[in-house]
Amino acid sequence: MSNVPYESLGRPDSPTQQFNRIPQQQDISQYAPVQSPPSPLPRDDPFDTHNFPPGAGPPMSAIPPRFMGMAAAHEGLRSSYASSNNTYGNQQDYRMSEYDSVHGLNMHNAGSTPTLATQRTSGNDDPLLHQEAYHDDPHQNGIPMSPVPGQAGFREYMPEKRNIYESPKSRTKRRGIVIGSIILIAILVVAAVLAPVYWFVIRPNSSKSSSNTGGSSTGGGGGHTDDKGSGGDGGNTTEDPKTHTVISGGDGSKIKLENGTEFTYNNKFGGFWYFDPSDPFKSAAKAQSYTPGLNETWDYNTNRIFGVNLGGWLNTEPFISPALYEQFYPNAVDEYTLSQQLAANGGIGQLEDHYKTFITEEDFALIAGAGLNWIRLPIAFWALEIWDGEPFLEHVSWKYVLKAIEWARKYGLRINLDLHAVPGSQNGWNHSGRLRDTPNFLRGVMGLANADRTLDYIRSIAQFISQPQYKDVVCMFGILNEPFTPNIGDLPMDSFNMKAHDLIREITGFGEGNGPIISIHDGFTGIDPWAGKYAGSDRLALDIHPYFAFGQQTADPMAQQAVRACDTWAGGTNRSMGAFGITAAGEFSNAINDCGTYVNGVGIGTRYEATFPGYSGARQGDCSRWTDWTKYTDQDKADIKEFALASMDALTNWFFWTWKIGDTLAAGRVESPFWLVLLTFKMSVGSANTLTRSYKLGLEQGWMPTDPRESYGKCASLGVAATSAPAVPASATGGPGAGTISPNIRASLTQWPVAALTGIPNADVLPIYTPTGPMITLPGPTFTDPANPQKTFDAGNGWFNPADTVGAHVPITGCTYPDAYDAGTEKIPVPSARCTGPGARRRAARSPEPTRN
């Protein structure tokens, strides 16, 4: 993969803008956690946790969901669980699952206000339109003309009869009234259009203040004219009246990128972009007409999340960027080993070439133009820092997190920032940073130490995104992706989630508008056990990852899968909205099997072809039937699209996994088409090298909907019974009751840190770090005032709440620690006593943020 000319973000010059630390002063209070019910897992899986002692789980070699494989040389056996927690012994059993569900499809009564469920199932182009009881279209079959009020005997034909027999003078007078009314209405319409333009766009932009809210634009065309790119012609444009800089544009506008190339902004949904170099933190863009602008409130009861993941960009995965890994086959199986291979073959800095080219600003414009309104952005802890011995590329990906925030703001997209990889690995899978037999987060000898280090990173991220410059864009924070609770244990995970909730809310305060929604993953325990858990918490959302790909494989045709999605997922998500709160599928895909290069991991086979280690199911077919998208028939594409629409309708709020997948070196094409919206190709550029460009084949070829609202009513059209989606609890959106967790709930559970881990009844003997180090503060971007090159705009100091002065966790002087990723009790004996000593900083001074050309 070759480079694209690219201008990096400027490195802040102020020491407070660097990756530096705030001295510690005091400890924070500790909180009791909440215990969850046992984890329900598929009954027909040989590793059903119901067959294990309390606190134990299936062997970690039973790798669960999505493309999480193992090293090629690994000899252990791995089973897998679908993230939907459904496996089926035969092709027809899915309707009989304990997770059977029905979709919220109740139609509202005549004249009543439609619920969210009816809005999304009515089939209307606009989900917010009512199906009114009043009709007077005589051409609409089966609907009589409405009665006309008035005196007895008045009939619908009377106006026509009067027009025929009335006098010419009356007709002339009536004609004058009609014409005058039309002119008056036209004047009022023009005034209604121009007034908002002046008061909310032109007038506010005459000020160079750095406020974070602003009015919306009604124009098309344009770009920005600072050193990060310039506006272009095309469409209607909105300009700053003082600087004549194009600051906003709609469908058909031209945008010039940082590298000098230009593209046309295509958005058929009434969306517009906005970027004012004189006010770079103003959030005035709107992704679509049906999506609230960034300066408007998102209503989780009426607005729907149509999201997509930017997987594999800042946290690489073998199946998403196979060419990165193939060149080192079989030695690179995760980002840990990839980093080692890159360092030995040209330098770890090569990874930035991937950051620069895999996702660009144009992708954000395309996402808005595809009708999507949210992005889930996976990042890893090495965006903040690494410790000695960790091979990852430190800091560099944070520059691209800042770019993602800038681009999302420009195109009206909200971000769910997801911490995808943490020290020790939360699940042992390749996307957690390092492939291991067991997680070492909250498990094993280093379980507590890794968890406290993770809380430090959660804290630093929360401090940054809660600043006023970013809170309107980064509206949700996924604190930990896919922790494997069956091996970690319910109590440690519940305690960790509560600790993270309390830590974040101590920073942000309570109630709507104070910091992000906190998203926690279900840990593969299913939806229903979460009902009422953490009742009274402030703005907690439940993240589910429903996949069919990693469960029992089936040869059933794609045409039968759409009903399966509705039956399996709709009821649970509807129930959870009322019983827990905001519930969203942080990941789902079109995959009905595990076919695809590296989907299960580097060098791992597939269940579909019965080549996956330890899989006992029958072979269902040849994966080439599904991996070679160039051979898809029109019917194949239609069936895949039907499944996508049914999944979207059933899940209500969702983030598709994933936006883009790279070519394989071997085949020269994408070989995991079930998993992406866009496909990437390598195309010749002159005779020197190649340039990776994205083409909208997933959309253009017809297996993804060009308008996500096509999903409304899909489950109803497939004959799935109806259940309504209740309103989310007020506390879930920061309303009354937020931050009022019952003392009884807290008192019934253990304090943090937990007193025991799975297989370790006395966690007090485990090694820990001490909170005596300086905290990491994250830098913001640098924007220069175009009217005054000596002036830069306030990007925040990275620390929203200065009252938070507790230190970061660092190793204790004189204590030795086992490998953070290899400290399972099967390898490292549990110590008899904890090593204690004075706290010390890990290193005398922080290294500065790397400077890259």
Side-chain angles (χ1 to χ4, degrees):
M1 186 178 295
S2 61
N3 297 350
V4 174
Y6 186 87
E7 181 182 355
S8 300
L9 284 173
R11 182 169 66 88
D13 295 322
S14 169
T16 62
Q17 297 263 332
Q18 301 292 328
F19 280 86
N20 50 57
R21 296 171 171 264
I22 294 176
Q24 66 87 23
Q25 295 181 17
Q26 61 185 23
D27 198 358
I28 61 175
S29 59
Q30 298 177 337
Y31 298 88
V34 178
Q35 184 174 9
S36 75
S39 306
L41 289 171
R43 291 173 300 224
D44 56 357
D45 193 287
F47 295 117
D48 186 344
T49 54
H50 295 292
N51 298 324
F52 285 82
M60 193 53 208
S61 58
I63 282 294
R66 80 170 169 82
F67 43 83
M68 315 306 178
M70 57 182 177
H74 194 284
E75 297 177 356
L77 300 181
R78 297 192 178 210
S79 182
S80 177
Y81 304 109
S83 294
S84 62
N85 295 304
N86 286 283
T87 58
Y88 309 108
N90 61 60
Q91 300 172 7
Q92 302 301 323
D93 283 350
Y94 64 85
R95 289 178 180 268
M96 301 175 64
S97 166
E98 62 184 322
Y99 298 96
D100 251 2
S101 59
V102 290
H103 190 34
L105 304 174
N106 289 340
M107 300 304 294
H108 57 283
N109 294 326
S112 66
T113 302
T115 64
L116 175 61
T118 63
Q119 291 167 5
R120 73 166 184 257
T121 59
S122 63
N124 292 334
D125 291 336
D126 189 335
L128 301 181
L129 291 177
H130 293 204
Q131 288 185 319
E132 301 292 347
Y134 180 93
H135 300 273
D136 57 6
D137 181 357
H139 303 290
Q140 189 167 355
N141 294 333
I143 299 178
M145 295 181 69
S146 58
V148 180
Q151 297 179 352
F154 192 89
R155 296 291 183 265
E156 291 87 341
Y157 58 81
M158 287 302 295
E160 288 82 353
K161 185 179 292 187
R162 184 177 63 232
N163 287 338
I164 294 174
Y165 292 105
E166 67 183 347
S167 68
K169 181 178 180 180
S170 298
R171 288 198 297 269
T172 300
K173 182 178 180 181
R174 180 179 296 276
R175 186 179 300 113
I177 293 174
V178 171
I179 294 173
S181 299
I182 292 174
I183 294 174
L184 178 59
I185 291 172
I187 293 173
L188 293 175
V189 169
V190 171
V193 172
L194 293 181
V197 172
Y198 174 76
W199 286 104
F200 295 106
V201 177
I202 297 176
R203 192 172 187 273
N205 287 327
S206 64
S207 172
K208 295 186 184 297
S209 66
S210 297
S211 69
N212 293 337
T213 60
S216 61
S217 164
T218 59
H224 52 280
T225 57
D226 64 345
D227 60 354
K228 299 193 173 208
S230 61
D233 297 328
N236 297 318
T237 60
T238 301
E239 293 185 350
D240 184 309
K242 288 188 176 181
T243 65
H244 302 291
T245 299
V246 178
I247 60 174
S248 184
D251 186 44
S253 57
K254 301 291 185 181
I255 296 177
K256 190 170 291 185
L257 298 174
E258 298 169 359
N259 60 15
T261 61
E262 187 179 82
F263 73 91
T264 300
Y265 176 71
N266 294 312
N267 189 315
K268 307 302 182 185
F269 301 105
F272 58 87
W273 60 268
Y274 184 99
F275 180 81
D276 183 359
S278 298
D279 197 357
F281 294 106
K282 185 173 183 176
S283 300
K286 194 176 181 74
Q288 301 89 23
S289 62
Y290 54 80
T291 295
L294 295 180
N295 56 351
E296 299 172 318
T297 300
W298 185 277
D299 187 337
Y300 288 91
N301 282 309
T302 57
N303 302 128
R304 290 182 59 176
I305 295 175
F306 299 148
V308 68
N309 282 269
L310 298 184
W313 179 26
L314 305 180
N315 180 55
T316 69
E317 301 189 27
F319 102 102
I320 298 177
S321 300
L324 277 175
Y325 288 82
E326 283 176 297
Q327 60 184 322
F328 302 118
Y329 181 85
N331 297 318
V333 298
D334 49 34
E335 191 155 340
Y336 191 101
T337 51
L338 174 66
S339 299
Q340 292 175 322
Q341 293 297 317
L342 289 171
N345 293 274
I348 184 64
Q350 299 172 83
L351 193 56
E352 189 172 4
D353 296 339
H354 168 74
Y355 298 158
K356 290 179 181 179
T357 59
F358 190 67
I359 297 292
T360 67
E361 178 181 337
E362 185 174 2
D363 287 295
F364 285 72
L366 291 170
I367 288 169
L372 306 175
N373 49 29
W374 279 72
I375 284 170
R376 184 170 179 258
L377 180 61
I379 64 171
F381 76 86
W382 49 90
L384 285 74
E385 69 167 1
I386 60 174
W387 282 16
D388 296 337
E390 294 171 342
F392 306 109
L393 182 60
E394 186 179 30
H395 298 327
V396 177
S397 61
W398 182 254
K399 295 193 299 183
Y400 298 89
V401 173
L402 297 179
K403 285 185 175 294
I405 295 173
E406 176 188 347
W407 296 334
R409 188 194 310 275
K410 182 173 180 178
Y411 297 104
L413 300 167
R414 288 170 170 84
I415 291 178
N416 173 6
L417 189 62
D418 187 78
L419 187 56
H420 228 63
V422 300
S425 173
Q426 69 274 22
N427 48 40
W429 306 328
N430 60 24
H431 62 80
S432 70
R434 192 172 188 188
L435 192 64
R436 298 286 89 183
D437 292 333
T438 61
N440 282 265
F441 166 87
L442 277 182
R443 193 178 190 279
V445 174
M446 287 295 288
L448 289 182
N450 285 329
D452 276 332
R453 190 177 164 197
T454 299
L455 285 169
D456 287 345
Y457 301 143
I458 290 172
R459 180 176 163 206
S460 290
I461 293 171
Q463 284 279 10
F464 182 87
I465 64 178
S466 298
Q467 296 177 107
Q469 294 90 336
Y470 313 102
K471 68 183 183 67
D472 293 337
V473 181
V474 186
C475 304
M476 188 176 291
F477 180 19
I479 59 173
L480 186 62
N481 177 67
E482 294 185 346
F484 191 54
T485 302
N487 279 104
I488 294 172
D490 290 320
L491 184 57
M493 274 312 309
D494 285 340
S495 181
F496 178 85
N497 287 334
M498 182 56 61
K499 176 64 176 178
H501 167 273
D502 292 341
L503 183 153
I504 293 172
R505 293 301 172 228
E506 282 185 341
I507 292 169
T508 68
F510 292 88
E512 183 178 3
N514 294 315
I517 297 287
I518 303 170
S519 177
I520 55 177
H521 187 260
D522 70 358
F524 308 107
T525 63
I527 288 182
D528 289 337
W530 292 82
K533 188 181 286 190
Y534 312 127
S537 60
D538 181 23
R539 290 165 294 150
L540 272 185
L542 185 62
D543 178 16
I544 60 175
H545 294 181
Y547 288 121
F548 289 139
F550 304 103
Q552 187 72 28
Q553 304 294 292
T554 176
D556 287 351
M558 192 74 191
Q560 296 182 19
Q561 303 301 320
V563 171
R564 182 184 176 193
C566 294
D567 276 342
T568 307
W569 298 331
T573 55
N574 281 343
R575 289 194 304 273
S576 184
M577 290 289 283
F580 179 87
I582 301 165
T583 302
E587 297 179 16
F588 83 102
S589 77
N590 289 330
I592 59 169
N593 55 52
D594 61 345
C595 292
T597 298
Y598 297 166
V599 164
N600 289 309
V602 175
I604 307 300
T606 67
R607 300 165 186 80
Y608 190 74
E609 294 178 321
T611 57
F612 187 87
Y615 182 69
S616 59
R619 174 186 170 90
Q620 300 297 326
D622 189 332
C623 275
S624 63
R625 164 74 177 85
W626 301 109
T627 58
D628 188 355
W629 63 268
T630 65
K631 296 181 180 179
Y632 284 179
T633 66
D634 289 343
Q635 188 60 51
D636 288 334
K637 297 173 184 177
D639 291 342
I640 296 172
K641 180 179 178 181
E642 188 82 347
F643 178 74
L645 291 171
S647 300
M648 293 172 181
D649 195 27
L651 296 171
T652 307
N653 298 296
W654 45 263
F655 298 84
F656 188 86
W657 187 276
T658 182
W659 178 247
K660 184 182 288 188
I661 291 177
D663 294 344
T664 67
L665 293 178
R669 66 170 183 268
V670 170
E671 290 198 313
S672 302
F674 276 157
W675 296 87
L676 79 167
V677 180
L678 290 190
L679 298 177
T680 61
F681 290 88
K682 291 187 175 179
M683 302 185 64
S684 296
V685 179
S687 57
N689 52 24
T690 60
L691 172 67
T692 299
R693 291 184 176 177
S694 61
Y695 284 76
K696 297 174 289 183
L697 287 189
L699 300 167
E700 293 171 355
Q701 293 295 320
W703 67 73
M704 291 299 294
T706 56
D707 183 346
R709 294 174 299 172
E710 293 179 53
S711 63
Y712 296 153
K714 176 54 64 176
C715 288
S717 72
L718 296 172
V720 178
T723 58
S724 61
V728 300
S731 62
T733 57
T740 60
I741 298 174
S742 167
N744 292 333
I745 293 178
R746 290 189 179 276
S748 67
L749 301 170
T750 183
Q751 294 285 329
W752 180 267
V754 292
L757 298 180
T758 298
I760 305 177
N762 179 18
D764 290 341
V765 301
L766 297 179
I768 60 171
Y769 301 126
T770 179
T772 56
M775 279 298 300
I776 295 175
T777 60
L778 294 165
T782 299
F783 291 108
T784 302
D785 189 342
N788 180 7
Q790 304 303 314
K791 175 186 175 182
T792 58
F793 293 94
D794 180 13
N797 66 0
W799 207 254
F800 172 70
N801 188 344
D804 177 12
T805 57
V806 180
H809 288 84
V810 292
I812 299 173
T813 300
C815 295
T816 59
Y817 297 86
D819 188 330
Y821 288 92
D822 274 315
T825 54
E826 66 279 2
K827 295 181 179 180
I828 304 295
V830 177
S832 58
R834 174 175 292 162
C835 177
T836 60
R841 295 181 61 169
R842 179 169 55 87
R843 44 191 173 191
R846 289 289 300 154
S847 62
E849 179 184 357
T851 301
R852 306 288 176 185
N853 295 326

